[in-house]
């Protein structure tokens, strides 16, 4: 019989297709007589396994995509090796897929899952507050890691697992720390004005801390990024800080919502003839390695990267193995005090 398939063998042997597949792959979990019968029929009719199809199936079962919003973000770059390390523990292949900031990650994921025949995916950065119908179109298990909406009420009520910090709470703690150090005129270099991701949450934490402390909110101290410059970059941190300094607005401390932008802010401060922390105290966010090598070293919020990565992979693996329970893990970050903040008390 030319072109014999496992479906044909299953019909001849009066067994299921899965039984034929297990017999051909030498699975000893089936009845030995059944296995011998299947192998005999396969040999009799010259059955040749479709190795290309088998290899494709193996690729489907092993590939996990990391859907990254912000390929050049040093914080995300620091996470990639940990993801690869954790995935390799379970013999998963690691595919890094970078997405531009303006792209719709929900629909992008739907297409990539089909194109790459993925086993699962982890979203890193960006947001996912689309209707459940959109999420339902992603036909593989997935987990959100460091996605802004993961801590929102709407997201925690949705049928999706997530791992994150509470960006609003951690930003609140930063500003309360500056207030305890005697600062009252505290500026913030936030994200873009109409941002609804982590930038919005961190700005919200800033506003709550100021309001709760009875300090008058000064709109001049809230500075948004330049739309013409890539966000979360040193260049935008420099340009935004430069405008704040040139405005003549009085302040003693600034909360920069990412360490990378804080690097640019440092240069703008020094270019203006001022010193850190003598004239202006600076606090960043993320805890990237670069912050330790700035001068003076940057006080910043350190995210528990390894814990977040490990939990994301474990949640995804549980889904792949059939666990339908959805979990929302929120870790505490740590304020790492260095040399960039002056105590005014």
């Amino acid at each position: 019989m030319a072109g014999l398939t496992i479906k044909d063998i299953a019909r001849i042997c009066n067994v299921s297709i899965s039984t034929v597949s297990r017999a051909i792959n030498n699975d000893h979990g089936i009845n030995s007589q059944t296995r011998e019968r299947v192998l005999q029929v396969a040999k009799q009719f010259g059955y040749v396994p479709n190795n290309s199809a088998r290899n494709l199936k193996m690729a489907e079962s092993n590939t996990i995509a990391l859907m990254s919003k912000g390929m050049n973000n040093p914080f995300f770059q620091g996470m990639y090796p940990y993801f690869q390390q954790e995935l390799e523990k379970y013999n998963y292949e690691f595919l890094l897929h970078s997405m531009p900031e303006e792209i719709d990650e929900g629909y992008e994921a739907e297409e990539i899952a089909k194109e790459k025949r993925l086993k699962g995916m982890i979203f890193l950065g960006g947001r996912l507050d689309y209707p459940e119908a959109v999420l339902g179109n992603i036909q593989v298990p997935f987990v959100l890691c460091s996605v802004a909406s993961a801590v929102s009420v709407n997201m925690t009520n949705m049928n999706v697992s997530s791992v994150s910090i509470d960006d609003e709470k951690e930003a609140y703690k930063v500003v309360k720390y500056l207030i305890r150090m005697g600062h009252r005129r505290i500026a913030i270099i936030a994200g873009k004005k109409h941002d609804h991701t982590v930038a919005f949450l961190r700005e919200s934490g800033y506003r709550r801390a100021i309001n709760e402390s009875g300090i008058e909110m000064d709109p001049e101290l809230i500075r948004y990024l330049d739309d013409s410059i890539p966000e979360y970059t040193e260049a935008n941190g420099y340009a935004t800080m430069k405008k704040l300094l040139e405005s003549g607005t009085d302040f003693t401390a600034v909360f920069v919502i990412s360490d990378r932008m804080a690097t640019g802010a440092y240069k703008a401060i020094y270019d203006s003839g001022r010193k850190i922390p003598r004239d202006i105290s600076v606090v960043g966010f993320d805890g990237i390695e670069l912050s330790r090598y700035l001068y003076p070293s940057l006080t910043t919020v350190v995210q528990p990267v390894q814990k977040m990565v490990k939990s994301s992979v474990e949640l995804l693996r549980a889904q792949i193995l059939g666990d339908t329970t959805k979990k929302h893990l929120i870790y505490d970050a740590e304020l790492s005090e260095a040399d960039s903040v002056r105590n005014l008390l």
Side-chain angles (χ1 to χ4, degrees):
M1 184 183 294
L4 188 77
T5 67
I6 60 172
K7 185 176 181 180
D8 296 322
I9 298 175
R11 179 177 51 79
I12 294 170
C13 297
N14 195 29
V15 296
S16 68
I17 293 174
S18 63
T19 297
V20 175
S21 178
R22 291 169 64 193
I24 292 173
N25 286 286
N26 201 29
D27 185 341
H28 294 282
I30 65 173
N31 181 278
S32 59
Q33 291 182 342
T34 300
R35 184 173 67 252
E36 289 301 322
R37 170 64 176 153
V38 168
L39 295 177
Q40 180 182 359
V41 170
K43 182 178 180 180
Q44 178 182 347
F45 290 99
Y47 170 72
V48 178
N50 187 341
N51 288 322
S52 61
R54 291 177 62 190
N55 289 337
L56 176 59
K57 187 173 181 181
M58 289 176 64
E60 290 175 352
S61 66
N62 286 332
T63 305
I64 305 296
L66 185 63
M67 309 292 288
S68 178
K69 259 291 183 76
M71 185 68 171
N72 295 321
N73 187 324
F75 174 66
F76 293 157
Q77 289 175 347
M79 300 180 86
Y80 300 154
Y82 295 118
F83 271 113
Q84 185 167 8
Q85 177 181 319
E86 286 298 319
L87 290 169
E88 286 179 349
K89 288 182 181 179
Y90 303 108
N91 296 317
Y92 291 133
E93 295 181 10
F94 173 74
L95 171 67
L96 179 59
H97 182 78
S98 176
M99 299 177 289
E101 291 294 337
E102 66 277 6
I103 203 167
D104 185 324
E105 56 261 49
Y107 293 103
E108 176 80 356
E110 181 183 346
E111 293 303 314
I112 292 298
K114 295 175 183 176
E115 178 185 337
K116 302 295 183 182
R117 300 179 176 88
L118 302 174
K119 188 63 175 179
M121 56 177 56
I122 298 173
F123 288 89
L124 185 59
R127 63 186 179 90
L128 257 182
D129 53 5
Y130 306 110
E132 287 208 50
V134 175
L135 301 181
N137 289 333
I138 304 174
Q139 297 298 312
V140 296
F142 64 91
V143 172
L144 314 183
C145 179
S146 295
V147 173
S149 299
V151 296
S152 72
V153 175
N154 290 337
M155 183 56 72
T156 53
N157 286 336
M158 295 180 74
N159 193 32
V160 57
S161 290
S162 64
V163 178
S164 66
I165 64 169
D166 186 334
D167 288 274
E168 193 275 347
K169 183 181 77 172
E170 299 299 340
Y172 171 86
K173 287 160 57 176
V174 166
V175 180
K176 293 293 284 187
Y177 161 74
L178 289 171
I179 292 170
R180 289 197 305 272
M181 297 291 279
H183 296 274
R184 295 296 180 269
R185 298 286 296 172
I186 303 169
I188 180 174
I189 294 185
K192 292 185 176 180
K193 194 163 189 176
H194 301 293
D195 189 289
H196 294 289
T197 61
V198 293
F200 171 79
L201 295 173
R202 293 175 190 180
E203 181 188 338
S204 297
Y206 164 87
R207 288 177 177 272
R208 180 163 69 95
I210 294 294
N211 288 330
E212 286 187 6
S213 301
I215 300 172
E216 182 179 357
M217 182 72 67
D218 184 351
E220 288 298 313
L221 294 176
I222 301 175
R223 296 289 167 149
Y224 298 104
L225 298 181
D226 188 327
D227 286 335
S228 67
I229 303 174
E231 60 184 336
Y232 299 110
T233 60
E234 296 86 351
N236 219 325
Y238 179 89
T240 307
M241 175 59 79
K242 187 172 185 288
K243 288 179 182 178
L244 173 60
L245 294 168
E246 291 175 347
S247 72
T249 303
D250 178 52
F251 64 101
T252 62
V254 59
F255 169 36
V256 189
I257 69 164
S258 86
D259 290 348
R260 189 176 179 189
M261 292 195 303
T263 302
Y266 260 50
K267 179 169 173 54
I269 291 170
Y270 285 125
D271 284 355
S272 72
R274 296 172 176 87
K275 300 293 184 183
I276 304 171
R278 185 193 69 190
D279 302 310
I280 299 174
S281 295
V282 183
V283 179
F285 201 111
D286 285 335
I288 65 174
E289 186 176 7
L290 174 65
S291 65
R292 305 196 334 250
Y293 299 100
L294 294 175
Y295 182 79
S297 55
L298 178 65
T299 293
T300 185
V301 175
V302 179
Q303 298 197 49
V305 170
Q306 289 180 264
K307 289 181 180 179
M308 294 168 68
V309 168
K310 183 177 178 65
S311 294
S312 298
V313 173
E314 289 177 348
L315 286 176
L316 182 62
R317 178 168 167 76
Q319 288 186 49
I320 291 172
L321 295 178
D323 186 353
T324 59
T325 305
K326 297 300 185 289
K327 298 179 180 179
H328 303 282
L329 305 181
I330 301 176
Y331 286 103
D332 287 330
E334 178 185 355
L335 181 64
S336 177
E337 296 184 49
D339 303 318
S340 62
V341 175
R342 179 185 175 192
N343 190 339
L344 299 183
L345 298 177

